[in-house]
Amino acid sequence: MMLAISLGFSGILSACTAKTELEHVDILTQKANPDDRLQVSVLVKYAFTINGFEQAVEEKFPDVDIVQVGNYTRDMGVAEYEARLKNNDLTDIVMTWPYSIGEEYWEESLLDLGGMDFSSRYNISALNEISRDGKLYYLPGPAQVRGIVYNKTLFEEQGWQVPSDFNGFIELCKTIELSGIRSLQLGLKNSEVLDTAFTGYGYADSYSNPLDSQWVKSYEEGSGKSFGDHYGSALDTFQTLIDAGVLRATDLDIDYSEREKMLFTRECAMVEDSVLLARMGADQTGTADEYGLMPFFNPGNGGDWARLYPICYVGLGKQLAEPANAEKYAAVMDIMDYISTPDGQAALMSDTGAMYSGLNGVGAPDVPELADITKALEEGRYGVFPELANAQSALREGLAGMVAGVLGKSEVVAMVDKQNALPKEASDDQIILGTATEDFTMTETGGFVADALRFAAGTDFALFLDNGKDGRYNGKGISAKFYTGEVTMLDVHRVLPDLKHGDDGVLQKVSMTGQNLIETLEHSLSVDNDQTGWFYYFSGLTIEFDPEASPGSRIKSIALQDGSALDLNAVYTIAVSDNSVPEEYCITSENVGPLVVDVVSDAIKEAGTISPVQDNRFIVG
Amino acid sequence: MRSAGRKSSAKGSFVVAAAAFIFACAIAGALCFQYYSQLQATLQAESSGYLREVSARISSNIDRIISDNYSFLRTLSSGIIASSADSFPKVQALVDEQRDYWDFQDIILIDQNCRAYNADGSVMKLDNDPDFLDAVLANQAAISSAQMINNEERIMISTPLGDCSVDGIPMIAMAASYDPATFDQTLSMSAFGGNSFSCIFEVDGTTVVRSSSEAAFEMGYNILTTIDDSDETAGNVAEDVKATIAKGEVGETRFTRDDIRYYAVYTPVAPENWYLMTFVPANSVNAKSDLLLNTTLLICGGITTVFAALVAFLLFVSTRNRHRLENVAYVDRVTGGHTITRFYELARESLETAKDRRFALVYTNLEKFKVLNEQFGRRACDELLVAFCKILERGLREGEILGRLSADNFCILIEYTDEAEMRKRLIEWFEYAEIYIAENNPIWSFPTAEFGIYVMDDNEIPFPQMIDRAKLALKESPQAVGNRVRYAVYDDEVRRLLFREKQLEDLMEQAIPNKEFKVYLQPKYKLPEREIGGAEALTRWVSESEGMIFPDEFIPLFEKNGFIVTLDLYVFDEVCGILRSWLDSEKPVMKVSVNCSRAHLRDLNFIDRYRKIAQKHGVPEHLIEIELTESIVMEDAERLIGVIDAIHEAGFECSIDDFGSGYSSLNMIQSIPADSLKLDKIFFRDRSKDPERTKSVVGSIVSMAKALSMDTIAEGVEHWDQVDMLEDIGCDYIQGYVFARPMPVDEFEELAFGEGRADEDNS
């Protein structure tokens, strides 16, 4: 059987037909590659999938197999991407966001694309923005165009008109509210959405000007300026929205997913989103309504602004240029060339709806949903919404207070200024726990975590999920690796999953029969209705495992660590993170107490120096 | 082997010739190349100068366009200030009014916050170009190389506005955007047959305006990186160019992209941070100069070729002449193989190159080749020699050499391990010979071949001496292999004989004055009386130091070294003395025969010496019979007749000795006027042979001799039945042990005359 593995995640893929001791290599994909196509690995940004792109590329280049390498790690995967840059552990292609991560490692880890033919097809101004000293490490991927998504059908039915300025927008909202329908529902329960309203409607005044970013930079460097000096008018506009009833205190209880349900059920007339959402109504609720986008109407002349939300920046791992990778280099160049064409851009866009491309002469997307926003796009009134480096959380808190009616402009300014002046929020990220003597593979990292759990819980075994392959994430599994050198809390956070589904990450001790252990290893548990691919890293066992096989036929052999056979009828104890094994197989289940993150960090602290355990426990067969 | 041998010497001369040839060509080539290089350098310098000139012209055009644009913009801004256009509609009207004068896309006003407004008042977002914004804020003219305006990439220039407000907004600058394609015509300025093209880039290499020329290659975001990526062998072009640019200088570089060689010149242009780079494919620059260079190259090549041909011709002629000379000395006329001279040379080479191998020198000849010559004629026998040569060559291995010494005598240098192996080689040759005979079916058949083998344990001795030893071995101890091959290895016995010869040679001169040579007489008994009727004088050597030395031992030696002449004359003198004493003492006179070696016969007047000696003793010549061996007959019958006539003339009698041992036929005897014929002992040696057959053969000789009035003397008869038989067939004399051995003179005298010893006894 053919199996894709990655050597220390360096992005070098190889196919092998023999059993592989997985300690030295990682399972990179669970897709079979029967035709032995050239595997090109793509590191995708946080929680992102590029299935549409993968399909388009594989159709265009039948000899290429795109392997998606996921990044489902804490804090939008930023630390993980930076660690990969720092440790030269990149895939062939990287798709990242934001691009500014780990700038000091670019030259070491990424290829300079500035001399490549395809770089000539992008708008120079777009490349100038991301190049450094004339060196170009990323191509701009397409950007999502965002604005105010409105129910076109409803507007027509009600005779409502898309306005042309801020005042018209306020009037429209008032009209809609009078009809008993919420005008604009942003879903402010997700606090970052408060930024959307503040930035979107204050963009013209406080963000659109090139000098604005210079002002923010000096503000953040502690020049003694006040937030109110520059953002006073934006706060005024925000207050105007509140005063007009466009933003309401009740919005603070509505979360992001609820607001789109409201849109599709006519509970509200407008939300903030992209064309993607504008096209999702029928799928979500079966509504026949049509939706369109209008810009953020800012106060003043020419105040119609669109929001650009860059999906990713595309770079290439420097290892591609090594002579041994010549064949792959050529294939990747073809793919990059393809990406740099309207078709390729469309392929990249296919996973995210209508996009704005940085390609010469492509410009604004021409789709009916964007008709009302086209003028802004054509005249260049669009931008990426920035955040404050130090005080964004204070601003959110302040904005929420304003919406709730408990805070005024000057109080918010004071709150922001205060946090801006404070030393950066103390985080445990930089605490040094120990030292790794060498780079771990993902499997070795998983093994390390499982060992830590097993010893902490005093169980027979420990299981810890892998976070998913091929563009799927379970949010419960190992996501990254330890690298040579100091191991900090940040590394532990990187390695452990960015929990979703309300998991706590608490250490659990479960018991199950040998037979059910096998069932668990074969089938895993169902996450997001997906039970086809997840697999575990483990402690206390030696398993020969085929990750490409169907659940039920994956385990080729299994034995206890000491070589003795697994007794199918015996009951074993197993240490796990909560909700990571199917409950129906467990005889008992108890919370042991500490969080997995503490168990792992303590294990490192105790060891002081850690190195991969190479006991051939995980054999890919 | 023959050709290989000659090749090795030919190889040596070829190397010298080739070296001379190459050297000559190299000199001619180097001179031509130097000339070519100089020419090329000159042409390149000219091309480079031209490219710089083109680039400078384009650069000044760009500067002019930009300065023109600034002029238009300043004119417009002055107009706005002068007309107090304080609202956007007024600004728009003014802009519309003047639009025909320039190529700008948009006229933009910039306020003190760097917010940009189109002439119609709509707000637009400027891209973040810090240098541009800094300049605007500093009230300086500025240029931005890339701004997205209305989704089009634009170059933007701005000029300070001074005191101006529009719609109440204080404006600090007026900017104009224009399409980078404005530069296109200038950048595509045709030079080098339309193959050159230019681009504008920032000092860090990022592109500002690309060339739309069809000749242009695709330039990436960064033109310097593009060049670096194009040509891995060019080193770090980008860094070199950047270093020159940092100094604000004009520079040039070369690189290869997609297998096309480019020259590029870069020149600063007016806007700060902008540079112009002009490219031209090397083959376009060099189109004319290449023709010139190629012509030069062709002429140089021609000169070199002619020169080389001349040298080659001279070498050829001299080599050919040498080969001819070599052929004369080295190639045997008859066989086409090596001469003995060549053989010596090659054998020496062979011995030197294969020091670890053991060789033998083989001397070979064909038995009775002369007879064959007689029998089949010269031509056929030459053929035989060629065949023999071929057969011998066929068996040769690497490092073994064959050469013809003379006539049917060949020398072979052969690898020698032991005698058994040698025999195998001989058998092999014999087989080849049989194959040859079977295939070619010649009129002759192969005579017996003899191989004398000298094993070269000492390579220091000269080849001729080795040949002598090989011959000697053959003489001493030949062994038969099959029925057509004989061989003998020079070994210790042969060596002993040689030593003995040397010893005898040392003694022989002194032996005569010492009177060590004793004359013995062997009686000839007349038939049928069976009484002594004559005698043959023989010699014994009674050496003081060595004792009795038999003729078998010293006669062949003396024959070889010529001492036989002295000895013969000495014996003759002694015999004359004996006869004198007999005459003086009035003994019954009888004929005494003496041997005369062939060595005498070289001189036709040899007989004079005999006559003088006879006369000195006063012995009647007819009492002396001079014996010539049959072998002389074979060598030169005519000459022999002359010799016999001379003998007769001198008054001596003459007999042919050893008749029947050689190959002379009875027919030949007819023409030889000898007085008697001595039948060789060979007829009587083997009694087991059919006596009747012997009788018949001998009988026919005897009767033939009788018919010719010759006496017949049978030699070596040892049995009485043979005596009877000889008597029966009418043989005249018997000389043999059956009657008496050779004996000292006194013993003979006693036997013949019944005196001497009796006297002594009596006394």
Side-chain angles (χ1 to χ4, degrees):
Chain A
M1 73 149 219
M2 306 299 285
L3 169 72
I5 48 177
S6 121
L7 198 64
F9 247 112
S10 64
I12 301 164
L13 293 178
S14 63
C16 77
T17 52
K19 291 178 186 175
T20 309
E21 292 158 5
L22 203 61
E23 270 73 16
H24 307 289
V25 290
D26 279 327
I27 296 172
L28 205 54
T29 175
Q30 290 179 265
K31 290 183 300 181
N33 181 18
D35 306 331
D36 210 6
R37 288 175 294 163
L38 182 66
Q39 291 184 313
V40 172
S41 58
V42 182
L43 180 67
V44 294
K45 67 167 190 172
Y46 174 75
F48 193 52
T49 56
I50 49 165
N51 296 339
F53 176 73
E54 177 176 339
Q55 193 188 340
V57 169
E58 289 175 357
E59 269 170 24
K60 173 98 181 163
F61 305 103
D63 295 336
V64 167
D65 178 20
I66 293 287
V67 174
Q68 297 183 46
V69 176
N71 178 0
Y72 200 91
T73 60
R74 209 185 63 149
D75 292 340
M76 310 288 284
V78 168
E80 166 64 1
Y81 184 58
E82 185 163 9
R84 281 176 173 270
L85 278 172
K86 184 182 176 184
N87 291 284
N88 249 321
D89 188 17
L90 296 182
T91 51
D92 302 321
I93 298 174
V94 294
M95 292 185 179
T96 186
W97 182 89
Y99 71 84
S100 55
I101 299 167
E103 213 172 296
E104 65 266 45
Y105 309 118
W106 288 359
E107 190 164 2
E108 277 301 304
S109 305
L110 293 165
L111 279 179
D112 181 358
L113 313 175
M116 297 168 185
D117 290 355
F118 50 76
S119 68
S120 67
R121 291 181 227 145
Y122 291 83
N123 293 326
I124 293 171
S125 54
L127 301 184
N128 281 347
E129 186 71 25
I130 53 178
S131 72
R132 296 291 182 270
D133 295 330
K135 293 194 166 110
L136 183 69
Y137 295 104
Y138 293 108
L139 294 177
Q144 205 172 31
V145 177
R146 296 180 74 103
I148 302 300
V149 179
Y150 69 96
N151 187 331
K152 229 181 205 173
T153 314
L154 182 63
F155 269 46
E156 277 164 18
E157 283 172 13
Q158 300 288 339
W160 301 330
Q161 297 289 322
V162 172
S164 58
D165 58 17
F166 182 73
N167 294 332
F169 176 69
I170 295 293
E171 288 310 312
L172 169 69
C173 287
K174 285 179 177 167
T175 309
I176 294 170
E177 297 287 345
L178 284 174
S179 74
I181 297 172
R182 276 291 280 123
S183 53
L184 175 65
Q185 179 52 267
L186 294 174
L188 298 181
K189 192 175 178 185
N190 292 69
S191 63
E192 67 270 17
V193 181
L194 287 158
D195 306 354
T196 308
F198 178 74
T199 310
Y201 288 96
Y203 200 87
D205 276 336
S206 306
Y207 291 94
S208 64
N209 188 327
L211 291 184
D212 293 333
S213 58
Q214 292 179 25
W215 188 92
V216 171
K217 207 176 161 213
S218 90
Y219 172 68
E220 285 170 344
E221 283 165 357
S223 58
K225 291 168 178 159
S226 168
F227 184 70
D229 298 349
H230 198 80
Y231 292 99
S233 60
L235 284 170
D236 290 340
T237 306
F238 192 74
Q239 188 63 55
T240 307
L241 291 170
I242 296 166
D243 295 345
V246 178
L247 302 178
R248 297 187 171 195
T250 49
D251 297 351
L252 293 167
D253 299 323
I254 308 290
D255 74 21
Y256 204 60
S257 53
E258 285 171 311
R259 66 118 180 53
E260 67 189 56
K261 224 173 284 168
M262 288 173 71
L263 179 69
F264 295 138
T265 54
R266 293 193 172 189
E267 284 181 55
C268 71
M270 298 178 281
V271 297
E272 187 272 349
D273 214 298
S274 67
V275 172
L276 203 61
L277 186 85
R279 290 173 179 172
M280 264 162 49
D283 280 350
Q284 293 231 340
T285 62
T287 176
D289 290 355
E290 287 183 6
Y291 302 87
L293 269 73
M294 70 173 82
F296 293 89
F297 288 105
N298 283 220
N301 189 16
D304 53 331
W305 287 82
R307 180 183 185 185
L308 284 193
Y309 186 79
I311 292 305
C312 65
Y313 294 86
V314 184
L316 300 179
K318 201 163 194 172
Q319 75 283 350
L320 271 178
E322 285 163 13
N325 293 334
E327 189 195 357
K328 186 176 282 185
Y329 180 88
V332 169
M333 285 300 127
D334 289 343
I335 293 170
M336 292 297 272
D337 192 71
Y338 170 64
I339 287 176
S340 307
T341 62
D343 279 353
Q345 293 278 303
L348 272 175
M349 292 168 182
S350 64
D351 294 300
T352 43
M355 299 280 176
Y356 185 89
S357 168
L359 276 192
N360 291 334
V362 174
D366 182 20
V367 292
E369 290 88 345
L370 293 180
D372 299 312
I373 211 170
T374 303
K375 186 164 180 280
L377 289 173
E378 282 184 349
E379 294 183 358
R381 286 188 298 278
Y382 49 79
V384 178
F385 288 10
E387 292 180 6
L388 293 171
N390 308 328
Q392 193 70 23
S393 61
L395 176 60
R396 280 174 193 163
E397 205 181 317
L399 294 175
M402 285 173 77
V403 175
V406 295
L407 293 175
K409 176 184 172 185
S410 57
E411 289 158 302
V412 174
V413 168
M415 284 167 69
V416 173
D417 284 346
K418 188 180 166 199
Q419 195 186 33
N420 187 53
L422 280 177
K424 233 189 158 186
E425 202 175 318
S427 115
D428 63 359
D429 282 355
Q430 299 313 312
I431 296 171
I432 297 165
L433 301 171
T435 308
T437 57
E438 56 191 283
D439 289 349
F440 283 59
T441 62
M442 193 90 106
T443 309
E444 286 161 352
T445 309
F448 181 87
V449 169
D451 285 344
L453 264 55
R454 180 158 74 100
F455 296 134
T459 50
D460 297 322
F461 315 125
L463 299 182
F464 208 100
L465 276 169
D466 172 82
N467 212 348
K469 303 293 174 212
D470 307 312
R472 298 172 302 115
Y473 311 94
N474 52 44
K476 294 167 183 282
I478 293 292
S479 305
K481 316 167 216 179
F482 292 121
Y483 294 106
T484 312
E486 286 176 348
V487 180
T488 62
M489 271 312 291
L490 181 64
D491 292 314
V492 176
H493 289 312
R494 264 193 320 109
V495 162
L496 295 179
D498 188 24
L499 296 171
K500 55 179 185 178
H501 311 105
D503 297 335
D504 298 322
V506 73
L507 177 63
Q508 269 185 349
K509 187 172 168 180
V510 301
S511 60
M512 62 174 76
T513 61
Q515 180 59 49
N516 281 346
L517 173 62
I518 289 179
E519 294 299 322
T520 301
L521 290 165
E522 282 283 4
H523 297 280
S524 178
L525 81 171
S526 173
V527 180
D528 295 340
N529 298 317
D530 184 348
Q531 202 174 8
T532 57
W534 320 121
F535 63 91
Y536 292 92
Y537 300 108
F538 47 83
S539 173
L541 293 163
T542 300
I543 302 175
E544 194 182 328
F545 190 80
D546 180 359
E548 288 176 18
S550 305
S553 58
R554 289 183 170 170
I555 297 173
K556 306 287 172 196
S557 71
I558 183 165
L560 271 56
Q561 191 174 27
D562 61 8
S564 59
L566 185 76
D567 183 346
L568 298 183
N569 298 314
V571 175
Y572 295 96
T573 54
I574 303 166
V576 296
S577 186
D578 63 332
N579 300 325
S580 67
V581 289
E583 276 175 33
E584 64 266 34
Y585 295 142
C586 298
I587 300 164
T588 61
S589 173
E590 58 167 311
N591 279 9
V592 175
L595 295 174
V596 168
V597 67
D598 294 329
V599 170
V600 174
S601 56
D602 286 349
I604 298 167
K605 234 185 287 178
E606 240 165 72
T609 300
I610 61 168
S611 40
V613 175
Q614 284 162 357
D615 53 7
N616 299 342
R617 70 176 74 163
F618 200 152
I619 299 163
V620 176
Chain B
M1 287 312 293
R2 184 171 73 228
S3 55
R6 219 182 303 162
K7 248 184 223 161
S8 74
S9 95
K11 205 197 280 172
S13 59
F14 175 77
V15 168
V16 173
F21 180 71
I22 289 166
F23 181 70
C25 292
I27 296 257
L31 289 172
C32 291
F33 180 75
Q34 199 192 1
Y35 174 69
Y36 176 83
S37 301
Q38 272 177 1
L39 189 64
Q40 196 177 33
T42 311
L43 289 171
Q44 270 188 0
E46 274 182 22
S47 302
S48 156
Y50 180 44
L51 184 59
R52 279 170 184 250
E53 206 177 287
V54 169
S55 191
R57 264 186 359 240
I58 296 172
S59 158
S60 68
N61 280 350
I62 290 167
D63 290 350
R64 190 179 45 72
I65 290 171
I66 291 168
S67 89
D68 285 355
N69 283 342
Y70 273 120
S71 301
F72 288 134
L73 189 61
R74 274 193 290 270
T75 309
L76 185 62
S77 66
S78 312
I80 284 172
I81 292 165
S83 64
S84 313
D86 55 1
S87 67
F88 281 110
K90 285 183 189 169
V91 171
Q92 182 73 54
L94 211 63
V95 167
D96 288 344
E97 206 172 280
Q98 298 201 10
R99 191 170 286 279
D100 290 343
Y101 300 113
W102 25 257
D103 283 335
F104 301 140
Q105 303 290 322
D106 292 286
I107 296 296
I108 295 146
L109 293 168
I110 301 173
D111 72 13
Q112 56 198 0
N113 293 320
C114 277
R115 180 158 299 142
Y117 304 85
N118 210 327
D120 63 4
S122 63
V123 176
M124 55 195 302
K125 183 169 155 282
L126 292 180
D127 283 300
N128 189 5
D129 181 344
D131 293 340
F132 177 74
L133 296 175
D134 287 349
V136 168
L137 287 171
N139 285 320
Q140 289 167 357
I143 188 159
S144 178
S145 52
Q147 290 281 338
M148 283 298 282
I149 294 171
N150 292 343
N151 277 314
E152 298 288 346
E153 200 114 58
R154 297 290 180 234
I155 291 169
M156 186 179 279
I157 57 170
S158 86
T159 185
L161 258 187
D163 186 21
C164 173
S165 283
V166 180
D167 279 0
I169 305 165
M171 299 293 178
I172 59 167
M174 175 174 264
S177 69
Y178 56 92
D179 192 340
T182 313
F183 291 113
D184 211 40
Q185 201 184 350
T186 300
L187 290 179
S188 304
M189 194 171 101
S190 179
F192 297 104
N195 289 315
S196 71
F197 53 95
S198 303
C199 71
I200 301 170
F201 62 100
E202 299 247 17
V203 289
D204 65 4
T206 54
T207 312
V208 176
V209 187
R210 294 187 177 90
S211 171
S212 64
S213 162
E214 278 183 12
F217 54 79
E218 196 163 4
M219 290 178 200
Y221 170 65
N222 187 310
I223 183 60
L224 300 182
T225 313
T226 303
I227 293 173
D228 263 358
D229 288 357
S230 304
D231 193 349
E232 280 172 12
T233 61
N236 201 336
V237 175
E239 290 310 312
D240 296 346
V241 173
K242 278 181 188 169
T244 310
I245 286 176
K247 292 183 248 170
E249 291 173 358
V250 176
E252 67 182 89
T253 186
R254 284 152 199 222
F255 62 95
T256 304
R257 182 181 170 87
D258 299 336
D259 298 327
I260 300 173
R261 186 85 182 142
Y262 288 97
Y263 296 162
V265 165
Y266 44 98
T267 315
V269 286
E272 204 180 1
N273 296 340
W274 280 23
Y275 251 79
L276 171 81
M277 192 176 273
T278 303
F279 303 84
V280 64
N283 59 14
S284 304
V285 178
N286 300 339
K288 260 185 224 162
S289 53
D290 275 355
L291 183 67
L292 186 56
L293 285 170
N294 286 340
T295 311
T296 309
L297 205 59
L298 212 62
I299 293 169
C300 286
I303 290 171
T304 309
T305 310
V306 168
F307 187 63
L310 194 66
V311 172
F313 177 72
L314 289 175
L315 284 172
F316 169 74
V317 168
S318 78
T319 308
R320 192 184 54 186
N321 288 344
R322 199 176 57 246
H323 279 164
R324 275 185 188 159
L325 288 175
E326 277 174 7
N327 272 346
V328 170
Y330 289 163
V331 179
D332 187 75
R333 279 176 303 101
V334 177
T335 62
H338 299 311
T339 58
I340 193 67
T341 316
R342 186 67 183 145
F343 171 83
Y344 290 156
E345 256 186 40
L346 294 177
R348 212 166 290 126
E349 276 176 25
S350 217
L351 289 173
E352 272 167 25
T353 50
K355 286 196 196 311
D356 52 333
R357 291 160 70 185
R358 191 176 180 211
F359 284 95
L361 189 133
V362 176
Y363 165 85
T364 177
N365 69 349
L366 296 170
E367 211 175 50
K368 295 170 195 141
F369 180 68
K370 289 189 188 71
V371 180
L372 293 176
N373 246 334
E374 289 286 337
Q375 198 177 343
F376 297 110
R378 180 73 169 263
R379 178 172 292 182
C381 284
D382 281 355
E383 266 174 32
L384 169 61
L385 287 179
V386 171
F388 188 46
C389 181
K390 270 187 191 158
I391 286 160
L392 291 176
E393 271 183 350
R394 190 172 162 191
L396 293 187
R397 297 166 190 174
E398 190 245 319
E400 297 182 337
I401 317 287
L402 170 71
R404 179 162 168 256
L405 182 60
S406 63
D408 57 330
N409 305 320
F410 290 82
C411 286
I412 308 165
L413 181 77
I414 197 164
E415 187 162 10
Y416 186 87
T417 45
D418 54 36
E419 202 174 322
E421 177 65 25
M422 196 65 223
R423 285 173 72 98
K424 277 186 203 161
R425 297 287 299 268
L426 296 174
I427 291 165
E428 198 176 289
W429 271 321
F430 180 67
E431 285 165 0
Y432 292 151
E434 288 193 320
I435 292 166
Y436 182 90
I437 298 288
E439 283 176 358
N440 296 282
N441 196 25
I443 55 168
W444 36 263
S445 64
F446 264 111
T448 299
E450 295 182 317
F451 295 87
I453 297 154
Y454 171 74
V455 181
M456 295 159 83
D457 289 325
D458 174 12
N459 293 342
E460 294 305 312
I461 64 168
F463 286 121
Q465 204 172 328
M466 293 185 192
I467 296 172
D468 279 348
R469 291 184 178 183
K471 268 188 198 169
L472 195 69
L474 209 48
K475 211 168 281 178
E476 299 299 339
S477 54
Q479 300 185 47
V481 177
N483 55 358
R484 284 290 170 89
V485 178
R486 269 201 305 276
Y487 79 96
V489 182
Y490 175 88
D491 57 13
D492 287 346
E493 174 57 16
V494 177
R495 199 167 299 163
R496 193 192 61 74
L497 290 171
L498 275 179
F499 178 78
R500 178 69 171 166
E501 279 183 1
K502 184 82 178 72
Q503 195 184 24
L504 296 184
E505 276 183 334
D506 290 345
L507 296 172
M508 68 186 186
E509 296 285 349
Q510 209 50 43
I512 287 181
N514 289 351
K515 297 219 174 266
E516 289 175 5
F517 293 107
K518 307 290 182 195
V519 174
Y520 274 45
L521 295 174
Q522 185 175 29
K524 295 176 184 173
Y525 280 79
K526 187 153 176 56
L527 293 179
E529 296 87 349
R530 304 194 180 186
E531 287 171 357
I532 293 171
E536 181 181 358
L538 297 164
T539 319
R540 294 290 182 272
W541 183 358
V542 186
S543 166
E544 269 179 27
S545 55
E546 300 297 311
M548 174 69 84
I549 303 169
F550 288 90
D552 289 354
E553 199 171 358
F554 64 83
I555 295 295
L557 172 68
F558 291 175
E559 277 179 344
K560 201 155 64 181
N561 66 16
F563 190 69
I564 193 72
V565 174
T566 311
L567 183 62
D568 278 353
L569 290 173
Y570 172 79
V571 169
F572 183 72
D573 192 47
E574 288 292 298
V575 167
C576 286
I578 290 163
L579 283 170
R580 184 69 260 163
S581 75
W582 289 352
L583 289 170
D584 289 347
S585 58
E586 296 180 341
K587 299 278 174 16
V589 182
M590 64 180 82
K591 242 188 323 188
V592 176
S593 58
V594 293
N595 287 296
C596 175
S597 293
R598 78 180 73 187
H600 292 280
L601 309 185
R602 287 182 199 138
D603 182 4
L604 262 184
N605 299 324
F606 80 99
I607 202 67
D608 290 349
R609 290 192 232 170
Y610 279 84
R611 194 161 51 192
K612 275 178 189 158
I613 293 169
Q615 283 170 356
K616 181 180 84 182
H617 289 283
V619 173
E621 282 86 355
H622 70 269
L623 289 180
I624 297 166
E625 187 177 64
I626 291 176
E627 289 191 9
L628 303 172
T629 60
E630 186 213 47
S631 61
I632 302 173
V633 179
M634 301 315 304
E635 282 166 18
D636 192 343
E638 287 296 312
R639 188 176 172 81
L640 181 69
I641 292 163
V643 168
I644 294 171
D645 285 347
I647 290 170
H648 281 154
E649 208 172 296
F652 302 117
E653 293 209 344
C654 178
S655 70
I656 301 298
D657 201 359
D658 303 333
F659 185 81
S661 65
Y663 304 93
S664 48
S665 61
L666 283 174
N667 293 339
M668 286 180 77
I669 285 298
Q670 290 180 35
S671 56
I672 308 269
D675 302 293
S676 45
L677 210 54
K678 293 185 81 174
L679 299 180
D680 196 84
K681 51 183 172 283
I682 198 163
F683 292 114
F684 313 108
R685 192 189 304 161
D686 189 356
R687 288 183 72 215
S688 62
K689 278 189 180 167
D690 180 3
E692 282 308 308
R693 186 176 161 79
T694 306
K695 185 178 177 180
S696 146
V697 173
V698 176
S700 63
I701 296 171
V702 170
S703 59
M704 167 75 93
K706 283 220 178 311
L708 294 168
S709 307
M710 285 192 212
D711 282 341
T712 49
I713 301 116
E715 282 186 294
V717 179
E718 293 178 5
H719 305 281
W720 288 108
D721 54 346
Q722 292 172 328
V723 176
D724 294 342
M725 181 269 285
L726 287 165
E727 192 181 298
D728 199 31
I729 59 172
C731 180
D732 298 305
Y733 295 90
I734 286 177
Q735 180 183 345
Y737 283 11
V738 70
F739 287 111
R741 297 159 184 264
M743 54 196 78
V745 176
D746 54 347
E747 275 182 37
F748 178 83
E749 286 173 344
E750 191 191 300
L751 182 68
F753 313 127
E755 60 174 65
R757 186 172 286 234
D759 292 346
E760 278 171 29
D761 289 349
N762 292 340
S763 64

